[in-house]
Amino acid sequence: MTTLPGIDHPLILVRDIEAARAFYNSLGFTLTPVGQHPWGTSTSLAVMERCALELMGIYDETLIDNLEIGGFAFGRHMQEALAEREGMALVALHSTDSRADAATLKARGLISQGPVDFRRKVRPPGMDWDEAVVSLDIFLDPALPRASHFLAQQHKPHLLWRPEWMQHANGAHHIAAVTYLAQAQEKALSRLTAMFGPANPGPAGWEVPTGQGVFRVLHPADWASVYGDTPRPVLAPNVPAGRRSTSRCRIWRRCARCWRGPGTMSARPPPAPPCAMSPLAAMSSSAS
């Protein structure tokens, strides 16, 4: 099976984007200035190597149905997810040719709502105002609303991957893994293996390697063996949800402390090797 590029950015919904930016900055991340999508959501990113963490809020609810495709409106989906709780909503998959990658995913049996092309204003450090040009292709499974994905292609990547934005005090440089916590692991595993190929047994749960990072699927019963006494989120029955994003860096102890902030739950990270860092802890502030 041809390997698709893999993880581009977990999308982390927050109710107060400025508070969220301050919180993630306190963890050692450099955040881009707040930008706006044409469907009413605001965005700020911690940019890393070919990937990012995206904080997203809502700035104008009158725009949430803009650019609807195949019954999916990005802004409305975010509004409904945020009404339920803060935390990880979707994961973008890195693409340099979203249309070709979409055809590949559809050939593997995944359902696409269709493509969405948009532009948004951006002013990188030391440059004049410009427009980021982005192509998405939506692959939302209604049975897995918190464990679905979309392809994301940046047509002007030089506007995003700026050295000034990619330097983080905590040393983070890429997304190593995204973990889904699921009572019924088969649903999430079936989706991920259709996209990326076979799953491998991990230290706990399953791991699905991609061309860029790993997706992990963890049963709630295995939570403590991986995350120690970090409080475990309570899941709605049979609804997998994204809970954790692990980034790679050079410094662990700088973030090994208790946190409570936008897009996270109160958590103490488990012990980790020197190069593994989990700044987001469990990214849900309430049950899914």
Side-chain angles (χ1 to χ4, degrees), residues 103-115:
T104 297
L105 288 177
K106 286 185 278 190
R108 294 177 185 176
L110 277 83
I111 303 300
S112 171
Q113 283 71 33

Side-chain angles (χ1 to χ4, degrees), residues 98-222:
S98 62
R99 301 301 183 258
D101 287 338
T104 297
L105 288 177
K106 286 185 278 190
R108 294 177 185 176
L110 277 83
I111 303 300
S112 171
Q113 283 71 33
V116 178
D117 297 314
F118 74 95
R119 296 168 180 253
R120 70 175 182 89
K121 292 185 180 299
V122 60
R123 188 176 186 179
M127 298 177 63
D128 292 331
W129 283 100
D130 205 329
E131 281 192 324
V133 181
V134 187
S135 292
L136 310 179
D137 211 294
I138 311 301
F139 285 83
L140 179 76
D141 183 343
L144 299 169
R146 291 272 183 172
S148 285
H149 311 85
F150 61 96
L151 293 164
Q153 177 185 358
Q154 296 284 342
H155 293 277
K156 296 182 178 180
H158 65 282
L159 297 180
L160 180 62
W161 282 284
R162 304 297 301 175
E164 299 91 336
W165 285 343
M166 297 173 69
Q167 301 299 314
H168 303 282
N170 58 29
H173 51 81
H174 72 276
I175 302 296
V178 168
T179 299
Y180 294 117
L181 183 65
Q183 290 276 3
Q185 295 177 294
E186 296 79 8
K187 290 182 181 180
L189 282 172
S190 177
R191 178 180 177 84
L192 292 169
T193 55
M195 287 193 289
F196 297 107
N200 304 315
W206 295 89
E207 298 186 351
V208 180
T210 78
Q212 187 166 296
V214 174
F215 282 107
R216 297 176 178 144
V217 181
L218 183 68
H219 190 276
D222 296 320

Side-chain angles (χ1 to χ4, degrees), residues 12-15 20 23-24 27 55 85-88 146 179 181 218 220 223-224 227-235 241-245 255-270 278-288:
I12 306 165
L13 286 174
V14 297
R15 294 190 175 92
F23 173 71
Y24 281 85
L27 299 181
L55 306 179
R85 61 170 172 83
E86 293 183 301
M88 190 157 64
R146 291 272 183 172
T179 299
L181 183 65
L218 183 68
W223 177 268
Y227 301 125
D229 61 357
T230 296
R232 179 177 67 81
V234 178
L235 290 175
R243 292 301 178 185
R244 190 179 187 90
S245 172
C255 289
R257 54 187 174 87
C258 293
W259 304 314
R260 178 179 292 277
T264 72
M265 56 174 277
S266 178
R268 184 177 72 238
S278 302
L280 306 185
M283 294 196 298
S284 167
S285 58
S286 60
S288 61

